[in-house]
């Protein structure tokens, strides 16, 4: 094996890694914004309000991410109304199609995580808040959502890592993310082992940073649950 090719093309791999990080970050922000109302609707006691979010989550959790990417990238072009709209310059680009697909996908998983966390909030805290006269909006804003955000940190951290690994599918629509850049370099150098090992190492480093970041966020969000040391 000749790892000199890795040194030569390492800046290109970092360029692809930057694109991967952009995809994960932008999709994560958009997906989280979508997941909040979807998760709240899923937690509602009204059947009609839970139905649509349930169908949305069922579809995106039950179908492969690759199929969803193809539906967005190839499917939208079949509608004349979309091709004639002001959004078409963006929707025809693989970059924005990947962001749309990743955002919709992670929103479904994050919403279900949030729904589970809302259902796990201790009943005593909810009853105590209602006893002092908190309205429903205040109850969610001051009690349930802060507690739920603390509980979902480990699961959401796993979801971000899964989204990082799933972002490799963006290369199937000609996007030069980390995997796409690695495949392009391999086509020129015929060194698949060296380049894929280097790409895998970059993925590992990014995953380690994400894990450490979410551990810090979890400690910060749940600092009120940590035992207080009592001096003798």
């Amino acid at each position: 094996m000749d790892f000199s090719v890795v040194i030569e093309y390492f800046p290109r791999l970092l360029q692809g890694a930057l694109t991967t990080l952009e995809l994960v970050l932008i999709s994560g922000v958009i997906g989280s914004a979508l997941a909040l109302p979807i998760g709240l609707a899923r937690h509602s006691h009204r059947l009609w309000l839970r139905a649509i979010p349930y169908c949305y989550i069922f579809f995106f959790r039950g179908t492969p991410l690759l199929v969803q990417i193809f539906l967005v990238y190839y499917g939208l072009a079949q509608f004349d109304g979309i091709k004639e709209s002001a959004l078409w310059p963006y929707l025809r680009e693989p970059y924005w199609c990947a962001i749309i697909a990743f955002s919709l996908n992670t929103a479904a998983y994050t919403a279900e995580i949030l729904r589970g966390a809302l259902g796990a909030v201790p009943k005593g805290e909810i009853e105590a808040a209602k006893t002092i006269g908190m309205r429903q909006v205040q109850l969610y804003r001051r009690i349930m959502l802060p507690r739920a955000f603390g509980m979902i940190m480990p699961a959401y951290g796993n979801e971000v890592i899964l989204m990082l690994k799933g972002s490799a599918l963006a290369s199937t629509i000609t996007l030069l993310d980390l995997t796409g850049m690695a495949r392009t370099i391999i086509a020129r150098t015929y060194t698949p082992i060296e380049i894929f090992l280097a790409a895998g190492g970059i993925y590992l480093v990014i995953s380690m940073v994400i894990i450490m970041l979410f551990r810090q966020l979890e400690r910060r969000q749940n600092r009120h649950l940590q035992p207080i040391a009592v001096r003798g």
Side-chain angles (χ1 to χ4, degrees):
M1 291 188 294
D2 182 15
F3 285 96
S4 62
V5 69
V6 175
I7 299 175
E8 180 181 356
Y9 285 96
F10 194 71
R12 300 289 299 276
L13 290 174
L14 291 181
Q15 182 181 352
L18 180 60
T19 302
T20 294
L21 289 174
E22 288 180 359
L23 289 173
V24 174
L25 179 60
I26 297 175
S27 301
V29 171
I30 297 175
S32 298
L34 294 174
L36 181 58
I38 296 172
L40 291 174
R42 279 283 289 127
H43 186 254
S44 174
H45 298 291
R46 298 179 177 88
L47 180 60
W48 63 269
L49 191 57
R50 299 200 309 263
I52 296 178
Y54 174 82
C55 294
Y56 172 86
I57 293 173
F58 181 78
F59 174 80
F60 281 96
R61 293 180 68 192
T63 57
L65 177 56
L66 182 60
V67 173
Q68 298 164 20
I69 294 173
F70 286 165
L71 284 174
V72 175
Y73 184 64
Y74 297 110
L76 293 179
Q78 296 183 5
F79 298 96
D80 293 333
I82 294 178
K83 294 176 69 173
E84 296 172 358
S85 67
L87 296 176
W88 180 241
Y90 300 97
L91 296 178
R92 68 183 180 184
E93 296 294 332
Y95 181 83
W96 293 108
C97 288
I99 286 179
I100 292 172
F102 292 155
S103 299
L104 296 175
N105 180 273
T106 191
Y109 282 91
T110 306
E112 192 64 13
I113 293 172
L114 179 60
R115 182 204 62 80
L118 289 171
V121 174
K123 301 298 182 182
E125 297 181 11
I126 299 175
E127 293 175 359
K130 291 180 178 179
T131 301
I132 63 176
M134 278 193 184
R135 293 174 296 181
Q136 194 73 6
V137 175
Q138 292 177 316
L139 176 62
Y140 274 98
R141 182 167 60 88
R142 296 183 178 181
I143 305 296
M144 297 188 67
L145 284 177
R147 292 285 278 119
F149 289 154
M151 287 187 283
I152 69 173
M153 283 299 167
Y156 184 64
N158 291 334
E159 167 59 20
V160 173
I161 293 176
L162 289 175
M163 186 165 53
L164 171 67
K165 293 187 291 185
S167 66
L169 295 175
S171 62
T172 60
I173 55 174
T174 70
L175 192 64
L176 290 180
D177 66 324
L178 179 53
T179 301
M181 187 66 73
R183 292 170 61 182
T184 301
I185 296 171
I186 290 170
R188 297 177 179 178
T189 61
Y190 301 100
T191 53
I193 296 179
E194 294 88 338
I195 298 300
F196 276 138
L197 281 176
I202 295 175
Y203 276 117
L204 282 175
V205 171
I206 297 174
S207 297
M208 289 174 57
V209 172
I210 292 174
I211 291 172
M212 291 188 293
L213 176 62
F214 274 92
R215 283 181 179 174
Q216 293 298 323
L217 290 174
E218 183 182 0
R219 292 194 189 100
R220 180 179 179 84
Q221 189 70 22
N222 297 323
R223 60 185 181 275
H224 61 284
L225 300 177
Q226 298 176 1
I228 301 175
V230 180
R231 295 182 180 180

